Amino acid sequence: MGRLIDRPHYLDMLRPFVRKNVIKVLTGQRRVGKSCILRQVADKIATQDAHANIISINKELERFAFIHTHEDLSKYVGEHLKPGVANYLFIDEVQDIEHFETTLQSLQASEACDIYITGSNAMMFSGELSTHLSGRYIEFHIHSLSYEEFLTFHQLSASNDSLRKYLQYGGMPYLTNLPLDKDIVFEYLRNVYNTILLKDVVQREGIRNVDFLETLALYTADNVGNLFSANNICKYLKSQRVKTSPVQIINYLRAMQNAFLIEKVRRVDINGLRTFEIGDKYYFEDLGLRNCRMSSSFQQDINKLIENAVYLYLCQQRLEVFTGQMPGGREIDFVGLHNDNRIYVQAAFRIADDTTRDREFGNLKAINDNYPKYVVSLDEWTSGGNVDGIQHVHLGDFLRMRLA
């Protein structure tokens, strides 16, 4: 079964809801470790309560292939519930069971068991769960490993070499079972990428033009951090003799989002946090999955990787993330919101000259509030914290800070 390495960040988030009559839903990209976190929760429950009855269903295992519908699910769970003890239900990849929400609704209403489920498609929450279980579930988005988790899993110390490995290979937990060799890692990641694209996007979403989907995915990977316009993409692809429409582009991008392959970041006005209708950005949920499909070199992509890594870390810290727009067209890479607080972050490779310094620090200086502001770069000698109140932080240090 393999050694389980704790991810305390997520276990701590789940702990207050154990044995509470609310469905715990773990969402995230395929292979980010949702199953292992379920197992860790189940193990801790079993340790604390020797009489606990734990019912586990993993739809990726052949022995559960017979559970196709909610009727199958209800029958199986009903046969395994035990009277007089605490019952717990764990279902992995629940979206593969037709109308699963019907069974969950009944089990929760009768308080038959404490329920934990995972899913690899965001459509569950705009459809099945939100319709039938509104207000009766809580979602925990599971990301691939953070940089700090990457160091723990691979038994590495923080260094420029470790940071480079993280930026290149990403945070898929299974990589701890492989040597961190580019050919070996990318072979594994390409297989994961293809599974996500074909099973979670093409099959789940009914995509017909698979060739175009693959072209759009590569275009998105090559344009991480750039402002997107479906009309402009359409014009570009037309110049490459690829026929499509803005509507198809929007639908295919949404399909990749639903599979958690990419994430969309909306653009907001810094002053009023008004959301703009156009000009979104896209980032990959895992750096390695992005890199394994690219022909460009690590050095060519370093700015994109830094920006994507900063975005992922802000999300891992449970911040709501936007890109900021200021008067005069100035841009702030990231605005992170948490309750009534916010932070601003500019990401750059190096602050190599006055022009770069003026752009990265100047945009932040123009924001007239006292929320924390950061410039994150790979400069070996950062100022360590203060250029007119703006902290200049090395990327490796920033990815290990506590922000929320």
Side-chain angles (χ1 to χ4, degrees):
M1 187 172 286
R3 180 173 63 101
L4 288 181
I5 303 174
D6 275 355
R7 300 182 70 180
H9 174 66
Y10 296 111
L11 295 176
D12 288 346
M13 286 194 293
L14 279 159
R15 187 173 293 111
F17 299 95
V18 174
R19 288 183 288 276
K20 301 295 190 294
N21 190 30
V22 60
I23 298 173
K24 278 67 71 175
V25 184
L26 279 61
T27 62
Q29 190 179 81
R30 192 175 291 270
R31 301 287 176 264
V32 294
K34 302 186 299 296
S35 304
C36 290
I37 293 173
L38 274 193
R39 285 166 53 196
Q40 289 172 0
V41 174
D43 288 348
K44 290 185 183 301
I45 289 171
T47 299
Q48 295 167 0
D49 180 3
H51 301 290
N53 180 40
I54 296 173
I55 306 167
S56 295
I57 298 168
N58 184 345
K59 279 297 293 174
E60 291 195 321
L61 297 179
E62 179 65 26
R63 63 193 180 94
F64 294 108
F66 69 93
I67 302 179
H68 297 289
T69 67
H70 71 92
E71 290 96 346
D72 302 328
L73 178 61
S74 295
K75 184 174 185 293
Y76 180 84
V77 174
E79 291 172 346
H80 288 80
L81 289 173
K82 292 182 179 180
V85 299
N87 289 277
Y88 299 84
L89 175 62
F90 293 82
I91 309 176
D92 211 357
E93 300 298 348
V94 74
Q95 76 276 350
D96 293 338
I97 303 172
E98 186 178 347
H99 300 307
F100 65 86
E101 70 281 357
T102 302
T103 297
L104 299 189
Q105 185 177 24
S106 176
L107 290 171
Q108 187 191 43
S110 62
E111 299 188 18
C113 50
D114 190 15
I115 304 170
Y116 303 77
I117 63 175
T118 77
S120 300
N121 194 287
M123 284 298 290
M124 287 197 311
F125 306 100
S126 60
E128 293 98 325
L129 283 182
S130 62
T131 299
H132 295 271
L133 296 168
S134 179
R136 287 173 285 182
Y137 72 90
I138 183 166
E139 179 185 356
F140 303 90
H141 188 93
I142 309 301
H143 297 274
S144 59
L145 302 180
S146 67
Y147 176 50
E148 191 163 21
E149 288 178 318
F150 178 86
L151 295 176
T152 299
F153 270 57
H154 293 277
Q155 300 180 1
L156 298 171
S157 57
S159 67
N160 287 337
D161 182 61
S162 297
L163 182 59
R164 180 190 174 99
K165 286 183 170 69
Y166 176 69
L167 292 176
Q168 185 167 26
Y169 301 140
M172 283 297 183
Y174 187 79
L175 295 184
T176 191
N177 297 296
L178 302 174
L180 290 180
D181 172 88
K182 183 177 179 180
D183 290 338
I184 296 172
V185 169
F186 279 9
E187 179 64 26
Y188 167 75
L189 291 176
R190 278 191 289 267
N191 279 290
V192 175
Y193 179 97
N194 290 334
T195 300
I196 292 170
L197 210 63
L198 294 175
K199 184 168 184 178
D200 298 329
V201 182
V202 174
Q203 292 181 16
R204 177 82 182 181
E205 304 279 347
I207 297 295
R208 294 183 178 181
N209 193 340
V210 179
D211 288 342
F212 172 67
L213 174 68
E214 292 177 342
T215 299
L216 183 60
L218 289 174
Y219 179 91
T220 307
D222 196 38
N223 285 275
V224 158
N226 292 336
L227 291 176
F228 263 63
S229 160
N231 286 323
N232 289 342
I233 298 172
C234 193
K235 291 175 184 176
Y236 166 77
L237 292 174
K238 186 176 180 180
S239 72
Q240 303 298 306
R241 302 182 185 278
V242 178
K243 292 184 179 181
T244 186
S245 69
V247 171
Q248 186 180 37
I249 290 169
I250 291 169
N251 288 339
Y252 280 25
L253 287 170
R254 186 181 296 117
M256 288 190 285
Q257 285 176 256
N258 287 339
F260 302 107
L261 183 63
I262 60 174
E263 293 286 341
K264 179 169 74 173
V265 178
R266 304 299 303 272
R267 192 163 55 106
V268 296
D269 181 338
I270 287 291
N271 295 324
L273 292 183
R274 175 178 59 88
T275 303
F276 291 96
E277 293 300 320
I278 59 173
D280 303 319
K281 292 184 176 184
Y282 289 88
Y283 296 92
F284 269 67
E285 267 274 353
D286 182 76
L287 293 165
L289 289 182
R290 184 257 175 207
N291 295 338
C292 75
R293 301 295 300 175
M294 301 303 296
S295 58
S296 49
S297 70
F298 179 84
Q299 199 62 33
Q300 286 174 312
D301 286 349
I302 188 62
N303 284 291
K304 299 171 186 176
L305 298 179
I306 291 170
E307 193 169 326
N308 205 140
V310 169
Y311 165 73
L312 288 176
Y313 191 59
L314 294 175
C315 293
Q316 289 159 353
Q317 292 289 291
R318 305 194 76 186
L319 295 167
E320 187 178 8
V321 185
F322 300 90
T323 184
Q325 185 74 44
M326 300 175 64
R330 288 185 169 187
E331 184 180 297
I332 302 299
D333 288 334
F334 299 112
V335 182
L337 306 181
H338 181 71
N339 296 329
D340 294 327
N341 297 313
R342 69 178 73 168
I343 67 170
Y344 304 99
V345 184
Q346 293 284 75
F349 175 39
R350 306 276 191 200
I351 309 299
D353 51 43
D354 290 340
T355 301
T356 306
R357 179 173 294 276
D358 290 344
R359 181 181 68 245
E360 305 299 346
F361 285 90
N363 288 1
L364 292 173
K365 288 179 186 178
I367 301 173
N368 189 25
D369 64 37
N370 295 317
Y371 291 111
K373 302 173 179 69
Y374 301 91
V375 170
V376 179
S377 73
L378 282 180
D379 291 284
E380 198 62 39
W381 300 102
T382 62
S383 63
N386 245 293
V387 177
D388 295 329
I390 299 167
Q391 296 186 61
H392 185 190
V393 185
H394 187 274
L395 176 65
D397 295 329
F398 182 81
L399 296 182
R400 302 175 73 199
M401 294 174 63
R402 291 292 172 262
L403 302 174

